[in-house]
């Protein structure tokens, strides 16, 4: 596609529910990143994919968080049993190797 | 571990004043990238520096890459309200796998 696409753009969920966030990277981009950003804060690294494998999952905050990438393309970030502290903007970025990263518009998650 | 550190975290200036943000890595970088995130937006690529001692300019923005390729700076001359946002540096670093690592960003606010 023309850019990195994330869906949904906004998600409101009840505490304890599971949510799935989707990222559709730029076609051909081998690297895919997930970040979390709370209001006014920096980028909190969550996970990095190279192709379909995730050589770095060190940023996932707990075992409630998981992510997968299929076909070297679309990635899904799943948060189980959501908590209020999970509320944030979740950003996805893709790049070709270590070249410039392109970010999606983000998914704003609100847990009520 | 290997990190990309950015200072200051916040900077507030009067319109027309200059602004500088600094980025430091514990290891030599093959390149350094700079991004800007406007309030409510997502990070957008500004520039990439590759050579030791490289200096690049974009209108009122001057980007420098240190001789040792471990540090970089972004200087804005005569800030304007359109410069408001968070500026991030990023470099490819080996943390488990080689990936693009972002600094925590410098949030610039401007008093008109």
């Amino acid at each position: 596609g023309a850019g990195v696409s994330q869906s949904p753009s906004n998600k409101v969920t009840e505490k304890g529910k599971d949510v799935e966030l989707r990222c559709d990277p730029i076609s051909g981009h081998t690297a895919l990143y997930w970040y979390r950003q709370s209001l006014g804060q920096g980028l909190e690294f969550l996970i990095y994919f190279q192709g379909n494998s995730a050589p770095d999952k060190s940023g996932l905050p707990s075992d409630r968080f998981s992510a997968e990438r299929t076909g070297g393309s679309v990635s899904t970030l799943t948060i189980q049993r959501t908590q209020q502290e999970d509320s944030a903007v979740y950003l996805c970025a893709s790049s070709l190797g270590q070249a410039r990263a392109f970010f999606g518009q983000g998914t704003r998650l609100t847990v009520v | 571990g290997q990190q990309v550190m950015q200072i200051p975290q916040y900077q507030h200036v009067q319109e027309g004043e200059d602004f500088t943000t600094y980025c430091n890595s514990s290891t030599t970088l093959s390149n350094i990238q700079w991004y800007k995130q406007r309030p409510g937006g997502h990070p957008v690529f500004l520039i990439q520096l590759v050579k030791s001692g490289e200096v690049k300019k974009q209108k009122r923005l001057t980007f420098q890459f240190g001789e040792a390729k471990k540090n970089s700076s972004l200087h804005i001359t005569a800030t304007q309200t359109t410069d408001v946002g968070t500026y991030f540096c990023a470099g490819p670093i080996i943390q488990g796998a080689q990936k693009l690592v972002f600094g925590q960003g410098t949030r610039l606010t401007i008093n008109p």
Side-chain angles (χ1 to χ4, degrees), chain B residues 63-112:
Chain B
F63 303 85
Q64 294 188 338
F65 200 9
E67 293 291 340
K69 301 183 73 173
K70 288 186 175 183
N71 55 74
S72 180
S73 65
L74 158 59
H75 180 83
I76 302 178
T77 303
T79 54
Q80 299 176 0
T81 54
T82 52
D83 297 324
V84 164
T86 302
Y87 293 85
F88 295 94
C89 63
I93 286 181
I94 297 174
Q95 283 184 342
Q98 186 173 33
K99 67 178 190 289
L100 201 58
V101 175
F102 282 79
Q104 282 305 297
T106 295
R107 186 177 175 190
L108 174 64
T109 55
I110 298 174
N111 210 19

Side-chain angles (χ1 to χ4, degrees), chain A:
Chain A
V4 178
S5 177
Q6 290 188 247
S7 61
S9 54
N10 281 283
K11 177 72 176 179
V12 180
T13 190
E14 291 181 351
K15 178 181 172 181
K17 299 281 189 184
D18 297 353
V19 294
E20 282 190 354
L21 311 181
R22 177 187 169 105
C23 173
D24 205 337
I26 291 173
S27 179
H29 278 194
T30 52
L32 186 148
Y33 304 81
W34 282 99
Y35 296 92
R36 180 167 72 174
Q37 189 172 40
S38 299
L39 189 62
Q41 301 300 307
L43 299 171
E44 179 187 0
F45 169 77
L46 298 178
I47 189 168
Y48 161 64
F49 287 93
Q50 180 61 37
N52 287 339
S53 64
D56 191 345
K57 307 178 183 180
S58 62
L60 294 176
S62 73
D63 58 8
R64 296 187 296 106
F65 288 72
S66 64
E68 64 175 15
R69 188 180 185 193
T70 56
S73 181
V74 172
S75 177
T76 304
L77 177 68
T78 302
I79 309 174
Q80 295 178 311
R81 305 181 302 282
T82 51
Q83 303 294 313
Q84 287 186 332
E85 61 263 28
D86 300 334
S87 296
V89 175
Y90 289 80
L91 287 163
C92 174
S94 72
S95 69
L96 194 57
Q98 278 77 52
R100 57 177 291 189
F102 292 79
F103 282 80
Q105 299 284 345
T107 293
R108 182 175 299 277
L109 176 66
T110 304
V111 181
V112 298

Side-chain angles (χ1 to χ4, degrees), chain B residues 43-81:
Chain B
V44 174
F45 175 83
L46 293 176
I47 206 163
Q48 176 174 289
L49 305 172
V50 177
K51 299 177 183 175
S52 169
E54 188 171 12
V55 177
K56 285 188 176 180
K57 293 192 175 185
Q58 289 181 349
K59 298 182 180 178
R60 294 177 293 102
L61 278 60
T62 302
F63 303 85
Q64 294 188 338
F65 200 9
E67 293 291 340
K69 301 183 73 173
K70 288 186 175 183
N71 55 74
S72 180
S73 65
L74 158 59
H75 180 83
I76 302 178
T77 303
T79 54
Q80 299 176 0
T81 54

